[in-house]
Amino acid sequence: MADALIVDGARTPRGKGKPSGGLHEFEALALLPSSLLAEVVGGSVVGGRGEFKLGAGLATYAVYPARDGYVALVAQEQHFWDTLVDVVGLGDLRNRQRDPAAQQLIRDRLGAFFAARTKGQIEREFAGRPSCVSSLESYEEMLASPHAKARGFLRANPDGPVTELTLPVTVDGERPRALRPAPTQGQLTAEILAELRRTGAEGKSRDAH
């Protein structure tokens, strides 16, 4: 479930009040539609932040605006909720985390708390505590981050001008890459049609229409 927030912000929450690291956020990118990141790499603007309706509609599973960006909150477990109550000042709502009638009030109080602070201030307030509050980055920020560069997530394509997205896994310590360049438009048309004629698939395709 938390991986879906990557689509929302290119970061997944972890349990210690700081951004996720290591393999997790990059492995989860493999779950995203390839066209989405292709648009980002190509310079297109990708929107839709904050539109996921996950976590049974609870206010503690959501994306909230901060003064300088967004934060993801996944405080479903009791110890995460307890930290949230203490830091944000939700003592009067401590026993109502999952009360449907209290969700809008909790959401409003959390929204006001996060909106009044920068991402850095939020991280400092939750630092060292089990909170599952994480700063979010845009796709563009994530791909341009020192972390992404250190992991070699983008690389120049020797067969063309398009930047290549590497697979979020390694084999023998190396990122696998294509053994041959992608065909140009129409390059394999004759070969494909010849194969269809050889197998009889071309006629079947016409009959189906």
Side-chain angles (χ1 to χ4, degrees), residues 8 49-51 59 61-73 106-122 126 133-136:
D8 228 21
R49 187 191 302 278
E51 295 178 357
Y61 199 124
V63 173
Y64 288 92
R67 284 176 55 188
D68 59 348
Y70 293 82
V71 294
L73 173 65
I106 296 173
R107 195 178 305 277
D108 291 343
R109 297 267 290 275
L110 290 173
F113 175 86
F114 292 126
R117 293 162 172 79
T118 65
K119 292 187 293 184
Q121 289 173 325
I122 293 167
F126 285 98
V133 177
S134 179
S135 297
L136 297 182

